[in-house]
Amino acid sequence: MDVVIGIDTGTTATKGVAAGPRGEIRALTSVHYPLSVPGPGRAELDPAQLVDAAVKALTDVAAACRENGDRVIAIGLSAFLHALVPMSADGEPLGPLITWADGRSAEQCEQIVAAGRAKVLQARTGTPVHPMSPLTKLAWWEATDPDTLRGTPRWGGVKELIVAALTGGPFQVDLSLASGTGLYDIHSRKWDDEALGIAGVRAEQLAEVVPTTTRLRLRPEVARAAGLDESVPLIIGAADGPLANLGVGATPAGIAAVSLGTSGALRTVVDRPASDEAGRLFCYALTEDRWVIGGAVNNAGSVVRWAGESFAAGFERPGAEGEDADERDAALLEEAAGVRAGSEGLLCLPYLLGERAPWWRPGLRGAYLGLRREHKRPHLVRAAVEGVCQQLALVRDSFEAEGYPVTEIRATGGAAASELWVGVLASALDLPVAVADTPEGTALGACLLARHALGEFPDLAEAAALVPISRHTRPEPEDAELYRRLRPLVEESALAVLDVVAELDRLAPEPLPGTEKAVGA
């Protein structure tokens, strides 16, 4: 069988998938690495580990293809958005890769907002002004270390890093990743002069922007390590969010995709760059004529992992000695499924890593409201799941306000394997949720886009129709009504406590030296 390999570089793991002509999964692998949190507001990755993980995922999947007797005809790339890494002129990283979850540029973000420039920039670039974006990260660098900012030959993200390592070729980034930097004018298709001025960088320090269907060539040594012919094209691909829509078949109008991984997002596809007057939705490219609008939330599956680490130390079910973190999290969700919708009056603001959509306000922090003596661990876990799903429902409400009605949800990501997650999501959104057969929708999307680049699917809707769906969940009417009534309280509570959490941040002592943390290993 002729297969395409998709490599998806995520925040805590790189996934590799081989897919056949009908989207059937022929091989699958995952390479994990830790997200480093060495201080307040910081969230970084080791660039060398990302490169090694991409090469290993490619090598492992290619080996599985040979064992299956399959022939690899192309490779497609996916990468997470909003990362920033300093690079040398030949593409070598010069420091850690700063991820979307890094919040050190909150002050620069507030300055842009206070100057009245945020919504204008967002309308042109498609990216909300928020500490997640490379725009504000570079502005932070300009404020704290301008000499390094200007003297660094290249500034890039995950895709530039991986492309440089795999190809050794020109400094390029796809349109999709560029549209998520806050530095690129998605309407005139060029780096934005005002944004570059705020960031303090020159256009020549940034990559050449190319279509998501651009063909590249593997370095000979990489091809040999993977056992692939050097002629196998490498398709530069797109960002993980837009590709997740393609990988779960959510490209037709009215169908939205939800990602439930470490973080989460709700997205729907439109046929041209779009912006909303309220500034609540992002707009990123899938291809030159297919764009994705939506909102990302910082916290999804990570809230259950946190709950397991915080509430379930030593927690073991009878006969479950030695179960790993995934098994523990599944057990916690099983417990939480026994709690009624609404968690007996407990409301969770699950902003462990701050929050993004729909308000894009830095400084948001997590909280439990309505906590009573009767609430136990299952209530705390279920309330956290409900908090994430309510946040995604607020994004869906923004779709409705802008005239983009949604009639069906396609879900992907590790948390989508949980019946509790999917059931709460269906009721919070009050929409049917379908889960794709493969949990690796983003990597499959990279495979499908690569086939589109090869000319196999001139219409992306044809590719999306290949995605098999086997699990359908409908909302519970009573639960949906309760969540609808609770949702205004989420927004009111989140914004009402901003001043309180800001003061708490000021009063919090600095962490002791050497207390570096790593999550997601």
Side-chain angles (χ1 to χ4, degrees), residues 54-257:
V55 174
K56 179 170 174 50
L58 174 62
T59 301
D60 289 353
V61 173
C65 292
R66 287 193 298 275
E67 291 177 7
N68 294 337
D70 294 336
R71 182 172 72 107
V72 177
I73 61 170
I75 304 158
L77 296 181
S78 166
F80 67 85
L81 287 153
H82 313 310
L84 183 69
V85 60
M87 302 171 70
S88 68
D90 58 1
E92 291 295 321
L94 300 177
L97 182 137
I98 303 173
T99 74
W100 56 268
D102 194 284
R104 281 175 282 178
S105 62
E107 182 178 348
Q108 287 69 38
C109 176
E110 292 289 3
Q111 290 170 354
I112 297 170
V113 172
R117 305 170 81 175
K119 287 189 177 180
V120 176
L121 282 165
Q122 182 177 344
R124 284 204 309 273
T125 67
T127 305
V129 173
H130 184 272
M132 70 175 184
S133 76
L135 165 64
T136 62
K137 288 178 170 66
L138 288 166
W140 173 83
W141 222 294
E142 163 80 355
T144 58
D145 191 358
D147 291 339
T148 296
L149 177 76
R150 294 182 179 87
T152 298
R154 296 179 175 182
W155 288 97
V158 178
K159 187 64 71 71
E160 294 95 319
L161 177 73
I162 300 301
V163 165
L166 295 184
T167 71
F171 188 35
Q172 293 180 333
V173 66
D174 60 79
L175 174 63
S176 185
L177 267 297
S179 66
T181 61
L183 299 163
Y184 189 77
D185 187 327
I186 61 177
H187 305 283
S188 63
R189 308 292 175 88
K190 67 180 184 67
W191 294 114
D192 186 84
D193 290 336
E194 182 183 5
L196 293 179
I198 293 171
V201 294
R202 307 176 302 278
E204 54 265 30
Q205 289 175 282
L206 305 177
E208 175 193 5
V209 181
V210 298
T212 59
T213 52
T214 297
R215 298 189 187 199
L216 305 170
R217 292 179 67 90
L218 289 174
R219 294 167 62 183
E221 56 267 39
V222 174
R224 284 195 300 271
L228 296 171
D229 191 281
E230 292 179 26
S231 64
V232 174
L234 176 71
I235 308 303
I236 196 168
D240 56 354
L243 285 173
N245 275 64
L246 179 59
V248 296
T251 55
I255 301 180

Side-chain angles (χ1 to χ4, degrees), residues 359 487-497:
W359 312 302
R487 196 142 55 246
L489 301 180
V490 175
E491 184 159 9
E492 291 171 19
S493 301
L495 301 181
V497 300

Side-chain angles (χ1 to χ4, degrees), residues 471-491:
R471 200 168 125 223
H472 298 263
T473 301
R474 302 195 65 82
E476 293 290 342
E478 291 184 5
D479 294 355
E481 173 60 17
L482 175 61
Y483 291 140
R484 184 191 64 77
R485 294 170 61 189
L486 287 171
R487 196 142 55 246
L489 301 180
V490 175
E491 184 159 9

Side-chain angles (χ1 to χ4, degrees), residues 344-366:
E344 306 290 351
L346 185 61
L347 180 70
C348 178
L349 306 179
Y351 312 143
L352 305 179
L353 293 170
E355 191 50 287
R356 287 181 283 177
W359 312 302
W360 309 102
R361 293 287 299 273
L364 287 170
R365 295 289 181 267

Side-chain angles (χ1 to χ4, degrees), residues 258-285:
V258 167
S259 296
L260 286 172
T262 304
S263 59
L266 177 69
R267 303 167 305 271
T268 193
V269 175
V270 296
D271 59 5
R272 63 179 64 87
S275 60
D276 64 307
E277 187 173 340
R280 291 193 163 198
L281 302 174
F282 59 59
C283 181
Y284 306 140

